[in-house]
Amino acid sequence: MAMEIPAEVRRYWLPILLFTAGFLFQLLVLPRHFPPTHYDVLGIERFAPVERVVEAYERLSKECCKQKFRWNVTPTRHGLSETNHQPTVDIIKIRYAYELLTNPILKRDYDLYGLDEHMDVLERVKEQYQKEHFLKIDLPLLKDSVVSLTDDAFNLLTHDSFNAAIAEEYPLIILVYSKGSPRCAHFIEYWKQIGTRLDGIAKIAMVEVGDSQLAGHFTEKGFSKQPFFRNGIPAIVAYPANCRSPSCYMRYPGGLYVDSVVDWVATSVVGLPRILYYAKEALGPQFIGKSGHHKVKVIFFSSTGERAAPFLRQAAQEYSSYASFAFVLWSEDESQIWWNSLGVESAPALVFLKGPGTKPVVHHGNFSKSEFTEMMEEHKHQDLQQLRSDTSLELGCDARGHSRAGNDAAIWYCVIIAGRPGVELGKKRQILRKAQDQLIGAVDGSTTGNVDDSIEISSAATAFKDERLTFVWLDGEVQKQICAFYLATDFSGACGPRGFGDDNDKPEIFIVRFQRNATYEALKAEKKNNLVEALQGQHAYASQLVARYKGPDEIQEINRWISQIIRDGDTREIPYFTSKVPDLVPEETNKEWLRSTKNIRSAGKSLKEKISFHFKDYLTDPRIGSTLLMCGCVSLGIIWLRNNKPTQSTRQEKAPKDRTKRPRPKLSTSLFGQPSESIADVEPKDARQWEMSDSDSD
């Protein structure tokens, strides 16, 4: 049978709980977060000078030696033997406090910010020598660790140069360090690597904690108002490019690893996009299939799995309209797959996919920022570019009078293949790209084959060489208005969205002949602005003539047809005709992945940081225990008052009932003032009442 909880305990459970929590906090939790300081170990006041530390150490060391001989050596019949080893640990603590507080740099860091990075040394020595004689301890316990800054590239800041540094154009990354910190001495080599990787993205600088006015600006303060570094030192803070206030900085919250720090700066501070890793199963459907049809696919193969370097992420942002970027982790098990599909032999490697059916361009080995920029400029376009709203002027395939050959060119041509994105359009794009490659070969003089064929395509090759001929493809589903205008058809086949059950995907090839509008040029020369503006509103810069290709899908036949069109267009007088061409629909590139996670705010002053304060900080507040005890007292008093208040009222209600009952006069019911009988009349003892009969008769 379970023991029943007494009623008084159930009634006062809340005060009991609060009292218990308050006493436990004061006796157990709080002392753990306020351990004795090294000054307490030596028995001197806090922040005592070095002279007092030396005096206290000499006094305690003599006392410990006497106690060691008296406690550890016990006489026996066979001689002396050690029986107690506790003073050895005490001697280690005293020696550790002495070495720490007599080192000027370590004492400064400990007094200013409570920094003590050698606690692992203390614990290791205590465990190693707790059963050994104190004379066997290897002294000194602490080895000197000095941060050497011989390179001027570290950019050591002072209070005077700080304001000028944060006012520069680039983001500023600051490392707070200490000259005597072993962690800082170990991290300084990594800091060099971080500075090299951030070259051109952000600038780095350093602040020594000895500059308390400047270093104290980056500290946090708890309930005791004592400044401290939450994760110790080295500590990293950053000032973004658009942050010019001294309080507008961001603290680095992660581990001290090169890759992690560089990724945090690139993503959260600079705002560069991340380049994701893809497995071999997801590379095709998730990356190649979902990225834009007009974009070059840039794939990096890495054997280390590190995140993309900042200059690669910067290039991904700058070339986002031309290319999509992805990373693949190289493994020997999948090497044969990558060799067969992309021609990659080993990692690191860089691959450019420039359209369907094109041979991948592979670069093996490492590359610098300048080398990568050159490769991107060379391969940022597909072999067959897409006619879009932001490329029409560059390609010269619009009616606004712009030609790749320049303003002196009177006639130029644009070969367009239009269709819905899919397999059929991909095949036609490959055919048109090969036709373009044939003309390139004819221009270079490397064409092999029939001489007559070369002569037949010479007009197209010459026009291509003079940049009067351009090959492009058009997304007929998105650009349905201009597609239907050029093909003189409704929204079906190559133009317009694909309907339900509609498999009629028939891409079509056509050529547009552009001729500069002589009337517009004459009016422009005469400076008749009103007519010029009217013609500009009608997009009448150049006249256009469209011819559709009806021949077979053969490269040679397509180039012959193009050459024939060019010969006729250059030699024959074609009637001037101009009509307004529909505008190209702006194709908004999906740039969700380009959005950074940058969140610039004053460190420690945001509402989120105030609400989500670290729980451990509350455990260092001595007011919690007293608050719990006070709440226990208040709750005890409230419960006691509530339990005693009903008892007093009950007694007050029962008291009148014990008194003699007074008869209550009966109210008169007479309407004319006749006296009524009183219920107070006493009935005589010998009174007799008549019994009522059940009969109604008298």
Side-chain angles (χ1 to χ4, degrees):
M1 182 177 180
M3 183 178 62
E4 184 179 358
I5 301 176
E8 293 297 327
V9 176
R10 293 198 306 268
R11 182 179 302 170
Y12 292 99
W13 68 270
L14 181 59
I16 294 174
L17 180 62
L18 292 175
F19 280 127
T20 304
F23 281 116
L24 291 177
F25 183 86
Q26 292 293 113
L27 297 177
L28 300 178
V29 179
L30 195 60
R32 291 184 179 181
H33 291 84
F34 286 93
T37 65
H38 298 305
Y39 292 98
D40 297 332
V41 173
L42 296 176
I44 57 178
E45 68 278 6
R46 195 172 183 183
F47 308 123
V50 178
E51 292 78 9
R52 291 277 293 122
V53 173
V54 175
E55 293 176 1
Y57 172 73
E58 292 177 351
R59 174 176 52 82
L60 291 175
S61 60
K62 293 179 181 179
E63 294 179 0
C64 289
C65 289
K66 294 178 181 179
Q67 294 177 2
K68 182 70 178 179
F69 180 79
R70 184 173 66 251
W71 293 346
N72 287 19
V73 181
T74 304
T76 62
R77 287 187 299 176
H78 302 286
L80 302 176
S81 64
E82 295 185 3
T83 59
N84 194 333
H85 304 281
Q86 183 62 29
T88 301
V89 176
D90 296 336
I91 293 175
I92 293 174
K93 293 181 179 179
I94 294 172
R95 178 67 188 187
Y96 179 84
Y98 166 74
E99 293 187 11
L100 179 72
L101 297 179
T102 53
N103 187 309
I105 298 178
L106 298 182
K107 185 179 187 300
R108 178 203 64 186
D109 298 345
Y110 183 71
D111 291 344
L112 289 177
Y113 310 109
L115 295 173
D116 185 4
E117 299 182 2
H118 302 82
M119 291 301 295
D120 57 334
V121 176
L122 177 61
E123 297 299 328
R124 185 177 69 253
V125 174
K126 285 164 55 178
E127 182 179 358
Q128 181 179 359
Y129 293 102
Q130 63 179 347
K131 296 182 180 180
E132 299 289 341
H133 195 276
F134 70 96
L135 295 176
K136 296 181 180 180
I137 300 176
D138 184 18
L139 299 179
L141 300 178
L142 303 181
K143 306 298 188 293
D144 292 336
S145 298
V146 180
V147 178
S148 178
L149 301 179
T150 57
D151 193 352
D152 296 335
F154 286 113
N155 188 18
L156 185 61
L157 291 180
T158 61
H159 186 266
D160 297 332
S161 61
F162 170 70
N163 292 326
I166 64 175
E168 294 184 1
E169 179 182 359
Y170 286 92
L172 180 64
I173 316 301
I174 300 176
L175 176 71
V176 183
Y177 77 102
S178 172
K179 295 179 180 179
S181 169
R183 293 181 61 193
C184 294
H186 177 70
F187 183 73
I188 201 67
E189 294 298 327
Y190 297 144
W191 184 246
K192 292 180 181 179
Q193 300 179 25
I194 293 172
T196 302
R197 295 194 183 187
L198 295 178
D199 185 26
I201 304 296
K203 291 187 176 181
I204 64 172
M206 300 179 67
V207 172
E208 216 275 330
V209 294
D211 189 350
S212 57
Q213 187 176 6
L214 182 55
H217 181 69
F218 305 118
T219 59
E220 300 181 58
K221 293 180 176 62
F223 294 102
S224 61
K225 303 303 180 182
Q226 177 70 21
F228 69 98
F229 292 94
R230 184 172 300 278
N231 298 321
I233 54 174
I236 299 176
V237 296
Y239 283 88
N242 56 345
C243 180
R244 296 293 178 261
S245 173
S247 62
C248 183
Y249 63 88
M250 307 166 64
R251 292 191 182 97
Y252 172 62
L256 296 176
Y257 307 102
V258 176
D259 192 37
S260 300
V261 174
V262 171
D263 178 70
W264 175 75
V265 173
T267 304
S268 301
V269 180
V270 183
L272 297 177
R274 284 192 172 100
I275 302 179
L276 304 180
Y277 272 83
Y278 292 88
K280 66 177 188 303
E281 299 84 4
L283 185 65
Q286 297 295 329
F287 173 65
I288 298 177
K290 290 187 176 181
S291 57
H293 300 286
H294 61 283
K295 291 187 177 183
V296 175
K297 312 302 185 292
V298 184
I299 306 174
F300 304 92
F301 284 85
S302 172
S303 58
T304 61
E306 291 184 352
R307 298 179 179 94
F311 74 87
L312 295 179
R313 299 167 66 164
Q314 192 176 38
Q317 188 178 52
E318 294 175 355
Y319 293 95
S320 60
S321 300
Y322 302 95
S324 299
F325 298 80
F327 260 86
V328 173
L329 182 61
W330 174 268
S331 64
E332 293 296 335
D333 298 338
E334 301 173 353
S335 59
Q336 191 63 35
I337 299 176
W338 302 123
W339 167 253
N340 295 332
S341 59
L342 300 176
V344 179
E345 297 179 358
S346 61
L350 175 61
V351 179
F352 294 92
L353 298 179
K354 304 177 67 176
T358 58
K359 184 179 180 181
V361 180
V362 183
H363 172 83
H364 288 94
N366 296 314
F367 47 83
S368 62
K369 180 180 179 180
S370 58
E371 292 174 344
F372 179 72
T373 303
E374 292 177 0
M375 287 188 288
M376 281 302 305
E377 287 295 327
E378 181 181 358
H379 303 294
K380 69 178 182 180
H381 294 297
Q382 289 185 340
D383 289 343
L384 188 65
Q385 297 187 50
Q386 182 185 8
L387 179 59
R388 299 163 51 227
S389 59
D390 55 352
T391 60
S392 59
L393 286 175
E394 180 183 358
L395 297 173
C397 296
D398 66 342
R400 284 173 283 183
H402 180 77
S403 172
R404 294 173 59 204
N407 295 329
D408 295 334
I411 300 174
W412 64 96
Y413 304 87
C414 188
V415 180
I416 304 174
I417 176 172
R420 301 167 180 167
V423 178
E424 294 298 326
L425 179 60
K427 293 179 180 179
K428 283 291 184 70
R429 286 172 60 186
Q430 294 183 40
I431 295 173
L432 197 62
R433 179 184 55 79
K434 292 179 180 179
Q436 177 183 256
D437 293 341
Q438 187 184 48
L439 296 183
I440 295 175
V443 171
D444 295 338
S446 59
T447 304
T448 59
N450 194 345
V451 179
D452 296 336
D453 294 338
S454 300
I455 296 175
E456 291 181 359
I457 66 173
S458 61
S459 299
T462 303
F464 188 83
K465 178 181 179 181
D466 297 337
E467 296 185 341
R468 294 194 306 117
L469 176 61
T470 307
F471 290 79
V472 297
W473 68 278
L474 181 71
D475 189 342
E477 187 173 3
V478 176
Q479 308 292 348
K480 58 182 180 180
Q481 298 288 346
I482 193 170
C483 176
F485 172 82
Y486 280 135
L487 297 178
T489 182
D490 55 357
F491 300 149
S492 62
C495 305
R498 184 180 289 104
F500 180 75
D502 184 10
D503 297 330
N504 186 23
D505 290 339
K506 295 181 179 179
E508 294 197 35
I509 300 175
F510 58 94
I511 186 171
V512 181
R513 174 185 178 272
F514 297 93
Q515 182 176 0
R516 197 172 299 279
N517 192 339
T519 305
Y520 170 77
E521 295 295 336
L523 293 174
K524 184 177 180 180
E526 296 176 5
K527 298 183 180 181
K528 295 182 178 180
N529 295 329
N530 54 346
L531 294 178
V532 170
E533 292 177 359
L535 291 175
Q536 286 179 347
Q538 297 177 3
H539 298 276
Y541 297 94
S543 61
Q544 299 177 80
L545 189 65
V546 180
R548 301 170 67 174
Y549 178 69
K550 300 295 185 180
D553 294 338
E554 296 180 2
I555 300 172
Q556 195 69 27
E557 291 297 326
I558 293 175
N559 281 336
R560 289 176 182 173
W561 171 73
I562 295 173
S563 294
Q564 183 63 40
I565 295 294
I566 292 175
R567 283 196 297 268
D568 293 343
D570 290 345
T571 57
R572 295 173 56 186
E573 290 292 336
I574 301 176
Y576 174 79
F577 175 75
T578 300
S579 60
K580 184 176 180 179
V581 182
D583 294 328
L584 287 164
V585 178
E587 296 181 353
E588 295 294 337
T589 305
N590 185 13
K591 295 185 179 182
E592 281 293 324
W593 67 285
L594 290 176
R595 293 182 180 179
S596 66
T597 58
K598 181 173 59 175
N599 186 14
I600 302 173
R601 61 181 183 273
S602 298
K605 296 185 179 180
S606 66
L607 179 62
K608 181 179 179 181
E609 291 189 2
K610 290 181 179 179
I611 295 176
S612 60
F613 201 75
H614 293 267
F615 178 72
K616 292 183 179 179
D617 293 341
Y618 288 104
L619 300 180
T620 62
D621 188 2
R623 295 172 296 181
I624 293 180
S626 58
T627 303
L628 291 174
L629 295 176
M630 184 183 65
C631 292
C633 294
V634 172
S635 62
L636 178 64
I638 293 175
I639 294 175
W640 185 84
L641 289 175
R642 287 182 177 179
N643 291 336
N644 287 274
K645 187 177 180 180
T647 304
Q648 295 177 359
S649 61
T650 303
R651 292 177 181 175
Q652 293 175 1
E653 291 177 359
K654 290 182 178 180
K657 294 182 179 180
D658 295 337
R659 299 175 184 176
T660 305
K661 295 182 179 180
R662 294 181 179 180
R664 193 175 177 186
K666 186 177 180 182
L667 297 177
S668 174
T669 58
S670 174
L671 297 177
F672 302 101
Q674 296 180 357
S676 58
E677 296 181 355
S678 175
I679 61 173
D681 294 341
V682 180
E683 184 178 1
K685 296 182 179 179
D686 58 349
R688 181 180 180 185
Q689 296 185 4
W690 294 90
E691 297 181 357
M692 298 299 297
S693 172
D694 295 337
S695 174
D696 295 337
S697 62
D698 293 330

